[in-house]
Amino acid sequence: MNTIDRRQWLKTAGLSSGFTFLGGFGAFASQIEKSNYFEKSSIAKLNSNENPYGPSKAVREVIKNSLDIACRYPSMVLHPLVEQIAQKEGVTKDHIVITGGSTEGLKAAGLTYGINGGEIIAADPTFQSLMTYAENFGATVHRVPVDKNMGHDLNEMEKRITAKTGLIFICNPNNPTGTLLDKNKLRDFCSSVSHRTMVFSDEAYYDFITEPDYPSMIELVKENMNVIVSKTFSKVYGLAGLRIGYLVARPDIATRLKKNIMAMSNVLAIEAAKEALRDDEFYKFSVAKNVEAKNQIYKTLNDLNLEHQKSHTNFVFFKTGRPISEMMTAMEKENVLIGRPFPPFNDWARISTGTMEDVMLFDKALKKVLS
């Protein structure tokens, strides 16, 4: 792997001031500060695809009981989690890379395969964290517009592959569109192009897929292909604030990625993740609540005759017909926070599922704003 020299590191050390994470920490923070969200429980925070029900009661107890070891470095409690995840995914512990949320894993991959002019191919729009981070280190990103159904245009993405292509990024189900690739086309694509370059499959929303027997691309990792899969505890497990996720990759690839892990996770997050994997009752509860809230969102959109995408995630992408920057302001006045703009779909909004109380507030607010 190429080494980052001191000059380049100093140049990029202040990335946070200009870095855009999910559209920008700055944009996200300003919306929260403006609304004083943490002081106003009446606000429906439906802009970040979080699980409002977590952590589960069992996980909360584990977190409290782990405070006495919070003074220790996480290495002392990490190994059992690695073993637990390896057993869950059907791989060895050498396939697993624990990360600070799946986002750190995406960034590590972006750095590893994009540094100093490496080329990355991705859909547009999609989750940008891997690409924007890689660009900070000299990567070239080829963004391929989604197709007419707002899904990945796999044929066009494959056409963009050259000898310089270091990685192809696939977020499936896709954020922000919520679309899901045909499972056979996805497997064939990943299997084929992995002989030419690395494939990264972001499966942050995998747990919300409603299609039966939909495969994880971990299947291809088990076949020793050039495939990396990211998973997170932020969504269905409700641990977004604790920052823990993981990558699954062939051991030699995992070893390479580990060299670019910087933040890592923490003792409380690791202990919480262990319990979350055991808490099947809460897992099923989260999935069911997501379906319930999503069906209510569909009803609201149907009542207003608004075009929207069937979603395999914990959010819905829908057409408002108005500039989203204006919609964000108007909805915030009604105590509802919605997703940021996702060019080129600047009149489409992304709305997270939230609690039933949240989505009913969304229903009332949207009907008022669009009346």
Side-chain angles (χ1 to χ4, degrees):
M1 177 187 165
N2 293 316
T3 301
I4 306 171
D5 62 31
R6 177 177 171 81
R7 179 176 297 178
Q8 183 178 8
W9 175 250
L10 290 174
K11 179 180 178 182
T12 55
L15 296 179
S16 59
S17 62
F19 174 61
T20 55
F21 168 72
L22 298 184
F25 271 125
F28 173 75
S30 64
Q31 192 177 7
I32 294 299
E33 290 166 1
K34 185 177 179 182
S35 64
N36 295 318
Y37 168 70
F38 293 107
E39 298 176 9
K40 294 175 66 176
S41 60
S42 61
I43 289 181
K45 188 178 180 299
L46 303 177
N47 60 339
S48 300
N49 305 339
E50 297 152 335
N51 180 350
Y53 297 103
S56 71
K57 290 182 179 179
V59 169
R60 293 180 196 203
E61 282 300 310
V62 166
I63 292 172
K64 286 191 290 183
N65 294 335
S66 300
L67 288 172
D68 285 344
I69 59 171
C71 58
R72 306 301 180 186
Y73 287 113
S75 56
M76 66 171 289
V77 295
L78 185 62
H79 182 74
L81 176 61
V82 173
E83 293 279 13
Q84 198 174 350
I85 292 172
Q87 183 176 2
K88 173 182 181 290
E89 303 297 357
V91 296
T92 72
K93 62 182 179 61
D94 295 327
H95 286 79
I96 306 300
V97 182
I98 302 297
T99 58
S102 61
T103 301
E104 185 184 28
L106 270 67
K107 291 180 180 179
L111 174 60
T112 303
Y113 295 97
I115 193 170
N116 295 335
E119 295 186 359
I120 295 172
I121 299 170
D124 187 35
T126 193
F127 189 68
Q128 293 291 324
S129 187
L130 185 151
M131 284 74 71
T132 53
Y133 195 74
E135 285 175 317
N136 289 321
F137 291 91
T140 298
V141 177
H142 299 289
R143 292 177 169 85
V144 179
V146 293
D147 62 23
K148 62 181 181 180
N149 297 315
M150 291 193 177
H152 288 69
D153 188 340
L154 296 180
N155 290 332
E156 186 60 32
M157 291 174 74
E158 185 169 7
K159 291 177 183 178
R160 301 289 185 94
I161 299 174
T162 70
K164 294 182 179 180
T165 304
L167 180 144
I168 295 180
F169 176 73
I170 298 175
C171 182
N172 185 55
N174 191 35
N175 179 10
T177 61
T179 51
L180 183 70
L181 283 161
D182 175 85
K183 61 184 179 182
N184 294 321
K185 290 181 180 178
L186 172 64
R187 182 183 173 89
D188 289 347
F189 175 83
C190 292
S191 178
S192 175
V193 303
S194 67
H195 294 291
R196 303 168 62 188
T197 188
M198 187 63 62
V199 178
F200 192 110
S201 179
D202 180 355
E203 298 183 2
Y205 300 96
Y206 180 82
D207 301 278
F208 301 115
I209 294 174
T210 57
E211 184 177 319
D213 302 318
Y214 195 88
S216 165
M217 289 303 96
I218 292 175
E219 289 187 1
L220 300 186
V221 173
K222 295 176 184 177
E223 295 177 21
N224 294 319
M225 295 188 186
N226 291 317
V227 175
I228 303 166
V229 176
S230 64
K231 298 278 191 174
T232 183
F233 288 89
S234 296
K235 307 303 178 184
V236 73
Y237 298 108
L239 303 184
L242 288 174
R243 311 311 300 132
I244 185 161
Y246 58 96
L247 303 177
V248 184
R250 202 172 62 225
D252 60 305
I253 299 170
T255 297
R256 186 179 180 189
L257 290 166
K258 286 176 185 177
K259 295 178 181 178
N260 285 326
I261 296 296
M262 289 178 277
M264 298 187 294
S265 194
N266 60 81
V267 167
L268 299 183
I270 291 168
E271 292 300 303
K274 292 177 188 176
E275 184 61 29
L277 289 174
R278 291 188 285 263
D279 196 346
D280 190 55
E281 182 179 353
F282 180 77
Y283 179 95
K284 292 177 180 177
F285 169 83
S286 291
V287 172
K289 281 295 184 181
N290 182 64
V291 171
E292 182 183 21
K294 195 157 52 176
N295 285 337
Q296 176 57 49
I297 293 173
Y298 289 151
K299 181 181 183 304
T300 297
L301 301 178
N302 287 331
D303 287 346
L304 294 169
N305 293 314
L306 294 176
E307 182 181 352
H308 57 276
Q309 287 289 330
K310 179 183 178 182
S311 173
H312 292 270
T313 65
N314 63 343
F315 59 84
V316 178
F317 201 47
F318 68 98
K319 187 173 184 178
T320 70
R322 299 185 183 182
I324 294 307
S325 56
E326 295 178 9
M327 283 293 297
M328 289 173 67
T329 300
M331 291 292 284
E332 188 174 351
K333 289 179 180 178
E334 302 302 321
N335 289 332
V336 177
L337 303 183
I338 64 173
R340 69 194 182 280
F342 294 95
F345 301 106
N346 293 313
D347 61 348
W348 284 68
R350 189 192 68 187
I351 182 77
S352 306
T353 51
T355 65
M356 284 303 294
E357 291 78 11
D358 289 337
V359 296
M360 292 309 298
L361 184 57
F362 163 74
D363 175 277
K364 180 180 177 181
L366 188 65
K367 288 176 179 177
K368 179 179 179 180
V369 167
L370 295 182
S371 64

